[in-house]
C-alpha cells in the first residue's frame, strides 16, 4: 500500500463519483442492469437525509476505492450496528491492502460510535473478498438467508 494513502468522507459535490463507483461495483457483481440510482436521488439520500455515508480510499489524491455504509440496529445486542452495503476497489489496485484498510477504518468507526457489531453480505463466488474476510476474523452466518422484497412485489404486498 502506498504511503500516500488516505481514507476520507465523500463530499456532496462528489455524488457523481459515488455513482460511478456504484456502477463499477455492479459491473463486477454482474448486475449492472439493476442500478437505477441517479445523482439527484443519491445526493438527497446521502447528504440531505443522511441515510448512509460514503468514504473514499485515495492513493496520491486519486480515488481508488469506496465504501458505503449505514447504521442498523440489533435488538439482541440492544445497540446500533454498522452495516457495510458496498465496498469496491478498482481492479488495478486490488491486492495492495486498500480493501482491508477500508474495512479497518469502518471497524474503528463502529467502535468509536459504540456499535455492537459490523455486518455485510458477500456473493458466494467472490472468493478473493471471502479470503480477506476470513483473514480479518469475520465469520459467515451460514444459517441465515437474506430475504428481499422489492419492485412490483413490494408494491403489490403493500397494497394488499
Amino acid at each position: 500500500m502506498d504511503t500516500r494513502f488516505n481514507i476520507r468522507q465523500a463530499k456532496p459535490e462528489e455524488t457523481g463519483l459515488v455513482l460511478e463507483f456504484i456502477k463499477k461495483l455492479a459491473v463486477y457483481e454482474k448486475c449492472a442492469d439493476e442500478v437505477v440510482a441517479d445523482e439527484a436521488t443519491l445526493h438527497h439520500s446521502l447528504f440531505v437525509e443522511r441515510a448512509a455515508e460514503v468514504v473514499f480510499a485515495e492513493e496520491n489524491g486519486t480515488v481508488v476505492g469506496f465504501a458505503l455504509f449505514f447504521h442498523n440496529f440489533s435488538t439482541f445486542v440492544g445497540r446500533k450496528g454498522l452495516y457495510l452495503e458496498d465496498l469496491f476497489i478498482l481492479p488495478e489496485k486490488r491486492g495492495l491492502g486498500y480493501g482491508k484498510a477500508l474495512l479497518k477504518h469502518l471497524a474503528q468507526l463502529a467502535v468509536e460510535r459504540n456499535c455492537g457489531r459490523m455486518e455485510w453480505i458477500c456473493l458466494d463466488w467472490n472468493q478473493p473478498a471471502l479470503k480477506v474476510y476470513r483473514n480479518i476474523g469475520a465469520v459467515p452466518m451460514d444459517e441465515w438467508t437474506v430475504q428481499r422484497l422489492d419492485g412490483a412485489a413490494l408494491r403489490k404486498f403493500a397494497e394488499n
Side-chain angles (χ1 to χ4, degrees), residues 29 120-127 129-130 133-134:
E29 291 184 345
W120 62 94
I121 60 173
C122 181
L123 291 164
D124 292 336
W125 58 259
N126 193 347
Q127 291 303 312
L130 290 169
Y133 302 152
R134 294 304 154 265

Side-chain angles (χ1 to χ4, degrees), residues 129-148:
L130 290 169
K131 183 178 178 187
V132 170
Y133 302 152
R134 294 304 154 265
N135 286 337
I136 67 170
V139 295
M141 302 294 293
D142 291 332
E143 296 180 2
W144 297 83
T145 303
V146 176
Q147 305 296 309
R148 178 177 289 167

Side-chain angles (χ1 to χ4, degrees), residues 1-7 58-61 93 96-98:
M1 183 165 34
D2 192 288
T3 56
R4 291 160 296 213
F5 176 74
N6 180 47
I7 296 175
E58 289 182 323
E59 176 190 78
N60 299 321
K93 297 298 180 178
L96 300 175
Y98 297 137

Side-chain angles (χ1 to χ4, degrees), residues 46-111:
L46 296 174
F47 301 108
V48 177
E49 290 182 340
R50 300 193 176 276
E53 299 176 59
V54 173
V55 290
F56 284 128
E58 289 182 323
E59 176 190 78
N60 299 321
T62 300
V63 175
V64 297
F66 93 121
L68 187 147
F69 65 96
F70 56 90
H71 291 288
N72 57 10
F73 188 83
S74 169
T75 55
F76 289 6
V77 177
R79 295 194 311 219
K80 67 183 174 184
L82 190 147
Y83 188 85
L84 172 60
E85 178 68 22
D86 291 332
L87 187 145
F88 181 79
I89 304 297
L90 294 174
E92 64 273 17
K93 297 298 180 178
R94 292 184 191 144
L96 300 175
Y98 297 137
K100 186 175 178 181
L102 275 171
L103 288 167
K104 186 176 197 83
H105 178 80
L106 295 178
Q108 291 167 340
L109 278 178
V111 170

